[in-house]
Every structure is written in structure tokens, then in C-alpha cells.
Amino acid sequence: MASIDQLNTELSDLVNKVAGVPLEEIRPDKSLTSDLDIDSLSVAEIIIAVEEVFGVRIPDADMSDISTIHEVAAYIHKAQAKQL
Amino acid sequence: MRTEVVVTGLGALTPLGGDVASTWAGLLAGQSGITALTSPEFADLPVRIGGRLPVDPAQALPRATARKLDRNQQMLLLAARQAWTDSGLAHLAGTGQAVPGERLAVSVSAGSGGLLSILETWETLKEKGARMVSPFTVARFIADGAASWIGLEIGAKAALETPIAACATGSEALRRGAELIRAGWADVVVAGGGDASVHPFLLASFAAMRALSHRNDEPARAARPFDKTRDGLVLSEGAAVMVLESAEHARQRGARVYAELAGAGVSADSYDFAQPDPTGEGQAAAMRRALTDARLAPDQVVHINAHAAGTPVGDRLESVAIRRTLGHHTSDAVVTAPKSMMGHLLGGAGAAEALATVLALHHRVVPPTINIDDFDDEIALDVTREPHELSGGVVGALTNSFGLGGHNSVLAFRSVGAT
């Protein structure tokens, strides 16, 4: 299973690819919307890509608890641990 | 006193060029932007010619931006950026002189909306299922998508509007833009239209209406308004956007003014979906209303940018309507048909041709009409086949846009000062 650090790195690449945010601006503690200024539809695209790449489901209800890259990574980590 | 509306910025992507300068140079040089469509998806169509942009708008935008936008939105956003920069307002952003968002509006339309995105997403949905449908799908296909993207970029908070009127869409978007300023809702409006129409679906649909030229072997000679052998219009893609501004606002910031958008006239035929009212009264009514609105007398009109799409019936009828409007002053107005070079930009046509009209007044020269080998003697107009110099002084010009469904939209422009 991937570590949180690995997940953070992979997520940064994904955010860069989907939303076009330069890699040097992306850090685990950054909020997708308020810090990285990613619009709402691009966040939806990122979540779809996360579900596709990491094989997890992130229901809309859980989205309100997720804001930073690190929080997304932690969510994936927890969901993958449950699957084991 | 009525608020005067002036044009202070121009932007365009047309089959003649990726910007205003190259489009204008192409028009003056009498170039054709029409080419053969040789890629496999066009192979089985009855019509395989069209006007494509010489630049790919998707390549001109960062990849992450381009993939959010339909092709019409990419073109319109790029044209809006050109116009915004050209007006000088882009340079004022973030300074004390910036236009407040509350006084800034957008009136931008695409006649077919994001049709290409609808077709593409339908394929994705059928082949890969709902999970692969992009969250941007709605934003890409709604007709007002381009207005919203442009509004987001420049921070327009007065209004975002999207008038749609088939082939008169671009003209109607400009009319609405001027109205927003006259009515006091905004000081500055980014206004225009565009369509991404070179697609097998549109070619097949327009061909089914018997609207298109079938001159597949001679693409550059297919668009031939006012020629005896004209056999229909040629579909093109493109967008044109203007910055409209209250004259007072433009004066205060010392803006360069291309021309005054002096008035507009609109009417509806409600005669037949595809054929214009054969008396020409609908079109003439729109022209008369534009002249009245602009406080122009028929003898002050030195130039008419004709709708002239190159259809056998339409061009002849426009001649009747112009004569009905200007009477014995018809011969004083130099007529040109830019669709002979650009083809028909559908939702972009009215805006691109208004832009050509503005530049004709600004540079005091009317671009030629090409492909008239055998002038149709039923056309009783002074159509220029060479660049035609306009006289000095304050003069007026009309640009006609007539749309399927019976839309008649006419804009009147007036020249300003010495050039």
C-alpha cells in the first residue's frame, strides 16, 4: 500500500495534470480551492480522476471534510486500508 | 441626451487570420479563406469545403484551459482577449483607472452553442458510460458558456448576456451590448459572436437544406456573392469581439476610438423558416430602423456591408431591400460582401462583418468582393471588386445580418474625426 508521502506526490502530479497548476505551487498543506485557486468544476474533475486512479469512491457527503491535498491523500490511505 | 456608444477595441480569429491585422490584410488583398476539407470524416459528404482557422485556438491556450472550453468558447475567449488588450483596458487592470466590474458587461454568443461538445460527449457516454462524462460538459455546451468564461476573466459584474438569432447572432450580440450602455447598465461591454461550424454534422445539416455551395473542386471560388453562378453559402468557423464603450467613458480615459456604433435596427419576417420575405420589406424595415436610430439620412450612407451569403435568392432580395431603403441614394453607397472571402461564420458572421465595417470607416477603405466573374445584372447595387477609398468627413455605414427563421439585424456605424 502506498504511503501518505507517496500519495501526496502522486496527487500533486494529478492536480498539475488535470488543473494545470504548476508543480512548484503545489504542497500537501495547500487547499485546492482557496490556496491553489482551482475552480469548482476542476475540483470535480480531480475527484473523478482520483477515484479512477486510486480505486476509491469519494461520496459527495465526504467532500465537505476534504480541502487540502494532504486530506485527499489521508482519505485515500484510509479507504485503501479498509479494502485490505 | 442619449448616450453615444463607440468602438474602442477589436479582436478576431477568422479563416483569413488569427487576429484583426491579418484578417483585415486578407480582406483588403481579396484573399479566400476557403479550402478543401480533406480529412476522412468529410469524405462521404456532398459538400467538402469550408473556412477553417489558420491557427488552432486550443494550441493558443494553456492545455488545462483549452480542455475546459468548447472550440467556440476558445475562439471567443481569444478574440475577447485581443479586443480587451487592443482597447487599452487590459493595461488598466489593477490600477485606479480600471473599469469597475459593476460597470462592465459581456454580450457574447455562439449561434450553435457548444454543439461539438454535445456530439463528442454523446459518443463518450455511449462508449464509456456516465462516469467518463466530464464535469465541464454543461459549461462547454450551454449557449452562454463563452459569455461566462469571458466575464470570469475580466470580472464583469453588470451583466452577461447571450442573444441568439441564427446567422444574425453576432450582430444581435453587438446590438444588445450597445443597448446595455445606452440604458445605463454598463459603461463598457465586451460584445461579439462566433461559431465552430466546420464539422460533418453541420455540413450535412446545411447541405440537407440545400443552402451550401457544391463547388468542391474550386474551394477558393465557391463563395461568390452577386455572381450569376453563385450556388449557396460556404460554412466557416471564427469569432469576432469588440469592446463597446460609452463615448464619455472613452473620452475620459483618452481611448482610441475606431467608430461610433450609432444605431441598430431589427425586424422579423415571420414568412418562412428558411426563405426571406420576397418583398424585401422585412430587411428594409430593419435598415430603416437602424438609420432612424442612428440619426443618419439615406444620403449619408457611403458604405453597406451586405449580408450576401451567396445564395441565389438571398443576394437578389437584399439588393431589392437596399434599394427600398436608400431609394435613389443606393448608388452612393459602396457595397461589399466579405463572405466571398471569409465564408459564412454563422454566429460569428455579424460580428466579423461589423468589425470589417468599423475598419472600413477607420481606414477609409472598403475591402473588395471577390469571385464576381459574371456580375448578376439583377443586382442593382454598386458592388466593389477592388478596394474602394471612402471620402473624408463624417460618414455612415450599415452592416446587414439576416438569419434563418426570419431575423433581420442591421447595425449603423458612423466615422469619427480625422484618421
Side-chain angles (χ1 to χ4, degrees):
Chain A
M1 205 175 89
S3 71
I4 294 259
D5 282 349
Q6 279 172 309
L7 286 171
N8 275 330
T9 308
E10 288 176 45
L11 276 172
S12 299
D13 286 342
L14 188 146
V15 168
N16 164 259
K17 209 171 118 226
V18 174
V21 180
L23 270 177
E24 57 270 25
E25 287 178 25
I26 303 175
R27 285 205 320 264
D29 61 330
K30 296 269 184 173
S31 153
L32 294 173
T33 49
S34 50
D35 294 331
L36 300 178
D37 207 19
I38 299 172
D39 67 83
S40 62
L41 294 177
S42 295
V43 170
E45 265 196 323
I46 289 168
I47 296 306
I48 290 170
V50 164
E51 292 181 337
E52 210 57 40
V53 172
F54 298 99
V56 299
R57 288 279 297 130
I58 309 180
D60 290 352
D62 290 352
M63 278 302 296
S64 50
D65 301 328
I66 300 173
S67 151
T68 65
I69 306 253
H70 182 78
E71 284 161 359
V72 180
Y75 191 97
I76 297 168
H77 196 256
K78 208 168 128 194
Q80 287 180 336
K82 272 188 206 161
Q83 289 167 0
L84 288 175
Chain B
M1 208 181 88
R2 192 172 73 171
T3 304
E4 261 181 48
V5 178
V6 294
V7 179
T8 56
L10 300 173
L13 289 86
T14 73
L16 296 175
D19 56 21
V20 172
S22 53
T23 294
W24 180 242
L27 286 170
L28 282 184
Q31 282 171 7
S32 171
I34 311 303
T35 54
L37 304 170
T38 52
S39 48
E41 69 264 32
F42 298 106
D44 295 330
L45 297 170
V47 173
R48 298 176 300 279
I49 49 176
R52 298 207 108 152
L53 296 181
V55 293
D56 183 0
Q59 297 296 321
L61 291 163
R63 211 180 67 87
T65 307
R67 56 199 286 279
K68 297 181 194 175
L69 275 57
D70 183 86
R71 188 171 175 85
N72 86 80
Q73 298 170 349
Q74 295 169 353
M75 298 185 312
L76 281 161
L77 180 64
L78 289 167
R81 283 182 182 173
Q82 290 175 15
W84 191 240
T85 301
D86 185 47
S87 72
L89 289 165
H91 306 297
L92 298 180
T95 73
Q97 288 173 291
V99 192
E102 289 69 22
R103 302 299 302 156
L104 177 59
V106 177
S107 175
V108 164
S109 310
S112 305
L115 178 59
L116 305 195
S117 293
I118 296 175
L119 296 170
E120 192 186 298
T121 306
W122 180 230
E123 292 304 321
T124 303
L125 178 58
K126 285 188 293 182
E127 286 167 21
K128 300 178 182 166
R131 277 190 53 77
M132 292 312 289
V133 170
S134 162
F136 283 98
T137 303
V138 174
R140 274 202 289 252
F141 80 67
I142 49 175
D144 54 322
S148 299
W149 289 121
I150 293 165
L152 266 170
E153 181 152 311
I154 61 176
K157 295 187 192 294
L160 304 176
E161 306 220 3
T162 299
I164 305 276
C167 314
T169 292
S171 175
E172 285 294 276
L174 289 168
R175 177 170 74 89
R176 183 62 190 145
E179 277 175 7
L180 287 168
I181 294 171
R182 282 189 186 178
W185 294 108
D187 295 321
V188 176
V189 182
V190 173
D195 260 320
S197 308
V198 183
H199 184 281
F201 179 88
L202 282 149
L203 284 157
S205 304
F206 276 91
M209 288 179 66
R210 309 279 182 273
L212 299 184
S213 168
H214 281 63
R215 211 175 278 260
N216 290 314
D217 300 335
E218 297 179 290
R221 290 160 55 79
R224 40 201 312 117
F226 302 131
D227 183 82
K228 251 182 199 160
T229 63
R230 64 187 183 273
D231 69 333
L233 60 92
V234 178
L235 282 184
S236 290
E237 60 178 356
V241 173
M242 295 187 188
V243 172
L244 305 178
E245 194 164 350
S246 82
E248 182 54 30
H249 192 273
R251 234 186 324 269
Q252 277 178 8
R253 70 180 185 92
R256 179 248 346 259
V257 173
Y258 285 104
E260 179 193 355
L261 204 182
V266 68
S267 77
D269 280 4
S270 295
Y271 168 79
D272 177 86
F273 200 93
Q275 295 301 323
D277 172 358
T279 65
E281 175 48 29
Q283 297 180 1
M287 282 184 257
R288 279 197 306 271
R289 287 167 191 169
L291 290 176
T292 305
D293 191 39
R295 292 162 201 180
L296 278 170
D299 65 357
Q300 291 173 294
V301 178
V302 299
H303 169 43
I304 296 182
N305 187 302
H307 174 73
T311 60
V313 175
D315 293 9
R316 194 169 61 236
L317 193 63
E318 185 170 7
S319 165
V320 171
I322 289 172
R323 291 203 79 83
R324 215 178 156 119
T325 309
L326 297 185
H328 65 277
H329 294 295
T330 302
S331 53
D332 301 337
V334 176
V335 176
T336 199
K339 288 188 183 77
S340 65
M341 294 172 276
M342 293 196 280
H344 196 330
L345 272 58
L346 298 186
E353 293 174 30
L355 184 144
T357 310
V358 164
L359 287 175
L361 290 177
H362 179 66
H363 294 298
R364 303 268 167 177
V365 57
V366 174
T369 301
I370 65 165
N371 291 331
I372 301 178
D373 298 323
D374 192 4
F375 188 71
D376 182 352
D377 44 29
E378 286 194 60
I379 306 293
L381 301 171
D382 177 14
V383 180
T384 186
R385 293 179 231 185
E386 299 293 330
H388 179 100
E389 279 190 29
L390 293 174
S391 60
V394 177
V395 292
L398 298 179
T399 179
N400 288 342
S401 295
F402 307 132
L404 285 171
H407 305 279
N408 304 310
S409 175
V410 178
L411 301 174
F413 290 95
R414 197 177 353 246
S415 63
V416 289
T419 55

